[in-house]
Amino acid sequence: MSTNLPGTVDDQWLTRLRATLTSEFEAQTTRLTELTADTGDPGEAHTRDALIAAARQSVTQIGDALRRMAEGEYGICAGCATPIPPERLEVLPHARFCVPCQQKRH
């Protein structure tokens, strides 16, 4: 597996990050299954709906990051096509944008 991040990350770092993302994907998928199966208190439906939406968003973002890894596109900003600093990816492994491009989006 190759990445477009020459000199910024090593294979061991990327393997560890992939394992973290995979584990989080599995945890969020399990959480989503539990939330959608829970009939719970109707008074808590709004909260449950918000939790379901957040879990779905996490699953999508993490799945997209894993796909980018598999395709060798991980760590490249979707806005300016420059490498996303490894420090940002450590904090937000599913990041699609570098900080300047993310700030422009808000």
Side-chain angles (χ1 to χ4, degrees), residues 5-105:
L5 297 173
T8 59
V9 299
D10 61 20
D11 287 339
Q12 185 178 27
W13 179 84
L14 200 56
T15 298
R16 183 175 50 77
L17 198 55
R18 182 184 297 111
T20 298
L21 282 167
T22 300
S23 175
E24 185 61 23
F25 182 85
E26 292 167 359
Q28 290 296 326
T29 301
T30 299
R31 180 73 175 133
L32 184 57
T33 301
E34 292 168 355
L35 287 167
T36 55
D38 180 15
T39 55
D41 180 356
E44 296 177 4
H46 180 71
T47 301
R48 188 174 56 252
D49 289 347
L51 292 171
I52 288 170
R56 282 186 178 143
Q57 182 179 13
S58 289
V59 167
T60 298
Q61 290 174 334
I62 295 166
D64 288 348
L66 290 168
R67 178 192 49 78
R68 290 191 305 276
M69 280 183 174
E71 294 173 354
E73 299 172 0
Y74 183 76
I76 301 300
C77 178
C80 66
T82 61
I84 298 171
E87 298 81 10
R88 176 161 171 74
L89 295 172
E90 282 282 338
V91 173
L92 192 64
H94 61 269
R96 292 179 45 227
F97 299 96
C98 64
V99 172
C101 287
Q102 184 65 47
Q103 289 173 337
K104 290 176 191 173
R105 295 180 54 84

